[in-house]
Amino acid sequence: MFRIVAERLKQRYRTLDWPRKEPALSPRYRGRPLLADADCGSCRACYAACPAGALLPRPEAPGRTPVLDMGRCIFCGACQDVCPAGAIRFSRDYRVAAASRGALLVRPEAALPGAKDAERTCADAAAVIGSRFRLFRRSLKLRQVSAGGCNACEADSNVLGTLVYDLGRFGIEFTASPRHADGLLVTGPVTRNMRAALLDTWAAVPRPRVLVAVGACAISGGLFRESADCLGGLGGASGENAAGLTTAGLTPDIYVPGCPPNPWSILAGLLALRGQGAGSR
Ligand code: SF4
Ligand code: SF4
């Protein structure tokens, strides 16, 4: 007994006092991308380097920096590495969740924004969602559905239950049954085989309910969006994938981009869903 108490005193309190205290992120971490509106001329290096088709040309500004779709981006950093103009940079801001698909499109700005501006996506999400889900402010139960993902998004969601993050202190928990849940947290590109299970699980969640898309796959199909066996994520923009399969047709209330998203991004997104900026509890 004495040894247990001694060990407890030695270990002390390991849960990070977030959001009051910022987490220590890996030096290799890439957060919200920042784009400067540069004259690219005929350079197509970033398009060629991107494995995810996440860079979208701007018809209104040909030959200039593209738009970056965080809903497709896997945050590999290849575009930043090859850009000779230094027009693409990844900040260390992990608050990347957004309340709409359109808000995941990062548009070039006249100059690379400063650190304060780089923090706005999650704050915007909380403002857009506002009091819609105020009901869940103190208690939010989620059922996780892995709709064909590689398991990395699931792992980064699961780790929120460990003592460093301590998801439970925010009143957020994962449940075993959709009947006991206030919503779904979906990962994976929604494979053909998982479509019916996903829709059945969604139908079993009592209203009002929330839908959380975690990871590039769940948002857009990610690296698998052109596969004939995937539906292109939850709300596939085209409504149909290459094989003519209809998408799941579910519209997320919050989108957490990344491949996989950092656990702090998921946590900040869940708070934003309840209208709580990352700076409040
Ligand atoms: S960081 Fe994103 S946009 Fe850039 S090359 Fe990788 S996937 Fe493409
Ligand atoms: S978004 Fe990336 S990490 Fe998440 S399931 Fe898809 S491939 Fe895996």
Side-chain angles (χ1 to χ4, degrees), residues 5 36 105 107 118 148 150-151 172 186 218 257-258 260 264:
V5 173
L105 300 177
R107 298 180 186 283
C150 73
N151 242 5
I172 305 173
V186 179
W264 293 112

Side-chain angles (χ1 to χ4, degrees), residues 50-52 54-55 68 73-79 90:
C50 180
L55 295 164
L68 192 156
C73 179
I74 60 168
F75 293 75
C76 66
C79 51
F90 283 82

